[in-house]
Amino acid sequence: LPLLYLQIFINNEWHESTSGKKFPTYNPSTLEKICDIEEGDKPDVDNAVEAAKAAFQRGSPWRQMDAQSRGRLLHKLADLLERDRVILATLETMDTGKPFLQAYFIDLEGCIKTLRYYAGWADKIQGRTIPVDENFVCFTRHEPMGVCGAITPWNFPLLMLVWKMAPALCCGNTLVIKPAEQTPLTSLYIGSLIKEVGFPPGVVNIVPGYGPTAGAAISTHDSIDKIAFTGSTKVGKLIKEAASKSNLKRVTLELGGKNPCIVCADADLDLAVECAHQGVFFNQGQCCTAASRVFVEEQIYPEFVKRSVEFAKKRLVGDPFDARTEQGPQIDQKQFDKILELIESGKKEGAKLECGGLAIEDRGLFIKPTVFSEVTDNMRIAKEEIFGPVQPIMKFKSIEEVIRRANSTEYGLTAAVFTKNLDRALTLASALQSGTVWINCYNALYAQAPFGGFKMSGNGRELGEYALAEYTEVKTVTIKLSQKSP
Amino acid sequence: MKKHDSDSNPAPVMPALPEPLKDLKIKYTKIFINNEWHDSVSGKKFAVFNPATEEKICEVEEGDKADVDKAVKAARKAFELGSTWRTMDASERGRLLNKLADLVERDRLILATMETIDGGKLFSTAYLMDLGACIKTLRYCAGWADKIHGRTVPVDGNFFTFTRHEPIGVCGQIIPWNFPLVMFIWKIAAALCCGNTVVIKPAEQTPLSALYMGSLIKEAGFPPGVVNVVPGFGPTAGAAISHHMDIDKVAFTGSTEVGKLIKEAAGKSNLKRVTLELGGKSPNIIFADADLDAAVEFAHIGLFYHQGQCCIAGSRIFVEEPVYDEFVRRSIERAKKYTLGNPLLPGVQQGPQIDKEQFEKILDLIESGKKEGAKLECGGGPWGDKGYFIQPTVFSNVTDDMRIAKEEIFGPVQQIMKFKTIDEVIKRANNTTYGLAAAVFTKDIDKALTFAAALQAGTVWVNCYSALSAQCPFGGFKMSGNGREM
């Protein structure tokens, strides 16, 4: 697989970094360097912002383009992703360690569908006419915000980028993107597709680099009108602070989670076990939606633990390019060390280690699927986001109790409920302080349905019609008439 | 339907105009049910004519009640709970509509040539405008398919309430001969986007493009029974649809006279839902401060487009006294520069009327204009010795009580009247049972917005005419229709 796109993408052209510096990107399965990438920093971000600003000027080709034509370009981009699906899935697997079949069938599928969903919205961004008092005609316009900064994570590099790019472009904005330093390859490749499809130069710009340098340059930039970030809550707070201190740029954040998965005694037990398993172990546990607090009603607790351990023991860990592999390596040494440290804390604080609990010997960044039972709410593994293949299972007696315990966190991204009882399902759906509540399923995400966090899991929503509000600025136009019109 | 300055649009959609197909073979002449081609139950056929030459093009199977019954059965089955169509993802419905747009684009030349030969439409208009609108409308509705949102509603008491926007069911659609393909697409695109199934009866004068679409619908992959096409006559096949006890909704575009019959039939049978797009006698109001050249041009096209056979024809032009004489003079000049002839040929600006019945009705109204004292400025009679051609005709000094000022002519006959004050012209413009469209030409913002509010019309154009787009709703006040399309 030839690695073609390793530079900074500005104005539909490829550039070296201003500093001349490069940085390496590694394959976490083999621990080998894949290649070197141009390292963007503040001057490169400045250049990208200049380009994005120019592309957003009144009278520019992008601003003059019919809304429907913007939609056509997004559709064509989806077509090209479909054409290059194998290449992109391969790059994603090499760069992240996620199983190839998952990259191909889940990540790429999500990207294509999200692009097509927003392609359809482009010419339906409607304002309203409003009946105000006295002799005035009043209407709103939903205008693009302008230059949008997007800082994307390493767990779903291309998918998280498309979640931002699609609504941003659909609404007529321009973009400056900084992909995670661990995983720049697919984001840079999409630059080549953006150019091939025919987006005007400067509409999409991509600056690979590090958080404290390129990322900070974006969050503090005075000419960036809005920033969208997916990553840790800790960094999300820094970004919101930087946005306030600089120019009050609009902020949307998709942050961490410590997501409760509540299994009631009347649940379909097989379904619940499988969903809870996939819910926590999917993508090597590296999901903001990870089901990392499993609450099981007392009566079925031992059976649930037993079946979950069976599942965990069967989980195939190995080479992500092997079709049988379900779990690849963790993304890097830092994450790997953090996960193992949290596993140790679980053991120390008295949780019962049911299986796993350590790294796979001599295998670099691979960790055995780990299950803890008899977990209590005060343990670190019950409070902190682990972002690894570790499933903590706790017990509960009553619905009121589990609601209280599930909500006792500053996170609030997703929650899941397994029950056949209609009343219980809807009660929990209302009571849980989460941006998404899944009932008898897990990770059911769709381009049509909004996604985002309550509390410190985030600000704002991605996907669905709701994302449009995050990428438009409302202008009210009020016109005086000489006499009142009906 | 003017497209403005596509050069500034970097993703232009106006293609270069090719030559019409020299040897168009009519492949589809049968009734289309369940993605298959059927002979009529009665064995009868009817002839289809080229209005430019009065020659027969071919014969088409003549559908009647028995064929409509078959089609409705197929459409009902395709709509059953659990059917392929009912269980298809909404986004997939959108994909099918986009594919259909791709196929129409592929066969653009065939369809445009067919529309010209069958409908007497100028080939350049058919290729650039009609086909352009079809493709855009399909793509617009494709985008809506997975965005049909219901709401959750906070009601009193212990209840959880939400709305679903469900497809209506089997929709009967009866379409006219003036824009056969565009009207076909306006109806099926919206219906299919929402998940309905369709039984569609094209006008007996112009069934060919509708039948060709049957083949594309099958090729695109719509399940059998979702779209069924039954060519035939109004009093037989059309009435069978409007009276049918198993059709849930009827949509009709045509004359107000027939629209009333359809709504009556719907009431008498099963209370099927009704939408109607009917006639118009649309006022076009020109102020002294208007850009006079632009006003003359828009008023001209607004009336003479497609031989005057448009429901939106601006057939009552009110000109403010100070500029009346100049406006009339320029309008006559404009109307005289016409080449009539075979609409397939380049350099022809006006084709024939659709058939003998229309031809005679228009000539009768022209005579009434002469008799009732309007001043005939140019034209005023038929043209050529073959085909239903009428000279572009301009009447000035028209008063509101004349037949040509009250009745819909649907031909190339332009009425120009004089007015003094705003209140007067508002009254006169609204003094009709029609209310489809209206226009006002002025540079004054106050006047423009006052008229936008005061005119009783479903669409009000300011400083333009015939500006239609898939994104804007279209329909009539009063007896110009019920409901909105697009």
Side-chain angles (χ1 to χ4, degrees), chain A residues 151 211 229 231-241 253 255:
Chain A
I151 300 178
F229 170 78
S232 68
T233 295
K234 170 163 159 251
V235 176
K237 294 172 78 179
L238 294 174
I239 292 197
K240 192 164 179 173
E241 202 184 318
L253 304 170
L255 308 175

Side-chain angles (χ1 to χ4, degrees), chain A residues 26-33 330-333 363-365:
Chain A
Y26 294 95
N27 180 335
S29 313
T30 61
L31 297 176
E32 282 160 13
K33 181 169 89 170
Q330 307 311 123
I331 186 68
D332 60 19
Q333 192 68 43
R363 282 301 306 278
L365 302 173

Side-chain angles (χ1 to χ4, degrees), chain B residues 70 96 105 114-115 163 187 193 197 207 220 240 259 262 267 293 323 335 339 343 355 380 390 448 477:
Chain B
K70 275 168 69 179
L96 289 179
E105 226 169 357
M114 193 180 288
E115 204 78 325
T163 59
K187 303 245 174 324
C193 151
T197 58
I262 293 197
D293 278 329
V323 293
T339 310
D355 61 17
I390 295 181
F477 276 38

